Amino acid sequence: MPPLLKIRAERGQMSAIERRIADFILDNAHLLRDYSSQQLASALGISQSSVVKFSQKLGFKGYPDLKYSIGQDVARSGGGPSSPPPTNDGMDGFSRIAKALQASKAAAEDETRAANPQADIERIVTLVDGAPKLFVYGLGDDGLYAREFAMRLSLLGMLVVHHADPILMLANLSAARPGDVMLVFSEFGKLAQLSMLSRQFQDVGGKVVSITRHTANPLRAHADAALAVCAEDRAPHVAQVLYRSSLQSLLDFVFVLLCEANPDRNRQLAVNLERIEHLLDT
């Protein structure tokens, strides 16, 4: 996993000093090559050993190893700080915003792909494709994506139980059996009722797949498998747009893999789409 992506993912469970180091690195990754561990420590007002321990906690031998890895990461991503486009570039404000958003969405989707290794995606596709029943659950905004994905799975001929109400979903757990799969949508993965539903589902032998941000959170920690969404931006409204874009891209990929993995699913999709078209034409 790219080091900057790893730092962002683990920031939520870091100590206060570690978060200061993480934030400095994330904000100044393109300048890190000019900082020794002592200079970085002095800039943050912490001990040099704290910088070394931070590097080792991330799985690196030491700070030079971390700095080298981040340098490669920056070079691969185009190397250079993000800055607003110059005002004399021939584009008006409308065009600049459109271009910047397009670039941010592409970067977030690239990071999301990197955060979900092929082996993990393939395991989730196998679990979903082989499940006798699928339970799909999400609250609030997450419920919108849960509902849409549940509908798409139904078009593939899968038996899907979907609810946006925790009480109704809890009642439906009585129908869960070993081998069934629950997909739980939760951007931050911290709602207690989601964790409770997941544990009860696992108690009857079901498998839980969490869909959350690429952060350390209770839901993701206790799930049998996880899909992680990357969407970082200083502006909250842009971060929300990036989350929706990256989540949709990830779900689209899983859906296509399900169609490719099982020709019967693909045929059933064609049949159902034809039936829907006929219904709309009558």
Side-chain angles (χ1 to χ4, degrees), residues 88-216:
N88 60 350
D89 58 3
M91 291 191 296
D92 57 18
F94 183 90
S95 300
R96 281 197 298 274
I97 291 174
K99 187 173 181 179
L101 181 59
Q102 182 182 31
S104 296
K105 289 170 72 173
E109 290 175 17
D110 287 343
E111 287 192 353
T112 296
R113 280 192 291 272
N116 293 276
Q118 179 178 341
D120 293 353
I121 295 285
E122 289 177 342
R123 178 172 178 246
I124 290 171
V125 169
T126 300
L127 282 173
V128 172
D129 183 56
K133 291 190 298 297
L134 293 169
F135 294 75
V136 183
Y137 184 55
L139 288 174
D141 288 346
D142 296 308
L144 300 176
Y145 299 102
R147 179 178 181 273
E148 193 269 345
F149 196 57
M151 182 191 70
R152 292 166 73 185
L153 294 176
S154 296
L155 289 174
L156 295 179
M158 298 180 176
L159 178 57
V160 180
V161 179
H162 166 256
H163 281 299
D165 186 317
I167 302 300
L168 294 176
M169 181 57 80
L170 185 62
N172 273 268
L173 289 186
S174 61
R177 298 292 182 269
D180 290 345
V181 172
M182 176 184 279
L183 302 172
V184 186
F185 288 71
S186 178
E187 182 174 354
F188 299 102
K190 295 180 179 180
L191 292 175
Q193 62 248 58
L194 297 180
S195 297
M196 181 192 70
L197 282 171
S198 299
R199 287 194 297 269
Q200 292 187 358
F201 191 78
Q202 290 168 323
D203 287 343
V204 300
K207 300 293 185 182
V208 173
V209 178
S210 66
I211 301 98
T212 72
R213 279 185 177 269
H214 189 226
T215 56

Side-chain angles (χ1 to χ4, degrees), residues 33-53:
R33 64 181 181 272
D34 299 325
Y35 281 82
S36 66
S37 58
Q38 182 58 61
Q39 289 171 324
L40 177 57
S42 298
L44 294 173
I46 59 177
S47 67
Q48 185 178 10
S49 64
S50 295
V51 176
V52 175
K53 290 177 182 177

Side-chain angles (χ1 to χ4, degrees), residues 62-89:
Y63 175 74
D65 191 22
L66 171 64
K67 182 167 70 170
Y68 176 75
S69 183
I70 288 176
Q72 289 186 313
D73 195 3
V74 170
R76 283 193 297 269
S77 63
S82 57
S83 57
T87 55
N88 60 350
D89 58 3

Side-chain angles (χ1 to χ4, degrees), residues 5 108-109 111-112 115 212-214 228-232 242-243 246:
L5 185 58
E109 290 175 17
E111 287 192 353
T112 296
T212 72
R213 279 185 177 269
H214 189 226
V229 180
C230 300
E232 299 294 332
L242 298 184
Y243 179 79
S246 296

